[in-house]
Amino acid sequence: MKLDTHKQLEAKMSKTIEALKYEYTTIRTGRANAQMLDKIRVDYYGTPTPINQMAAISVPEPRTLMISAWDKSSMAEIEKAIRNSDLGLNPSNDGEVIRLSVPVLTEERRKELAKKAHKSAEEFKVRLRNERRDANDALKKLEKDGELTEDELKKAQDEVQKITDRFIKEIDAVAVAKEKDIMEV
């Protein structure tokens, strides 16, 4: 029974790491990346819609994104949503496609983004700790129900802590890599 708890915990924590990695794809680093636009919603006939559901997004050059809307009448709304986002990008609309030039980041903006990446890492560590707490609560319930002895509970909780420590180190590694990527000129 306790092995199931450990496997479930590892699966949840793996998903948390994947969520952090996805979150990091939306933080701009000075290179064009289609995922940068994933959090932007466009008011499309009264419905907030992700850009990638309204248009094809390509990266023709390392620092350029090209957006080709399937419905050309939505181009102005897409442009407006990008302009209003916190990405600091200035769209250029020629009626056929919207081009986004990803400017080189200033030192100040790099530090700001690195701080944002660090804050995200801390939030995801809190998620891991909550998952650890839930796993330990499940183990305590098993002991209370008589399915685990006190010694087995202690061993299982030690294993939960080892799993948590391993995933926290992984978050730290992902965060350091992202911060290095952001600070790269």
Side-chain angles (χ1 to χ4, degrees), residues 20 81 88 121:
L20 175 65

Side-chain angles (χ1 to χ4, degrees), residues 35-52:
Q35 284 90 12
M36 308 170 33
L37 305 175
D38 283 358
K39 288 190 172 183
I40 299 175
R41 299 289 181 259
V42 179
D43 184 20
Y44 188 60
Y45 295 108
T47 305
T49 308
I51 293 175
N52 62 6

Side-chain angles (χ1 to χ4, degrees), residues 91-127:
S92 164
N93 182 351
D94 68 7
E96 289 297 312
V97 295
I98 296 172
R99 285 187 175 70
L100 297 170
S101 288
V102 179
V104 176
L105 296 171
T106 63
E107 188 66 25
E108 184 181 323
R109 183 70 174 145
R110 285 178 193 284
K111 287 178 181 173
E112 198 178 296
L113 290 173
K115 218 180 274 185
K116 182 179 177 184
H118 182 74
K119 185 175 182 257
S120 288
E122 291 305 316
E123 289 169 3
F124 279 86
K125 284 181 188 179
V126 168
R127 286 191 195 180

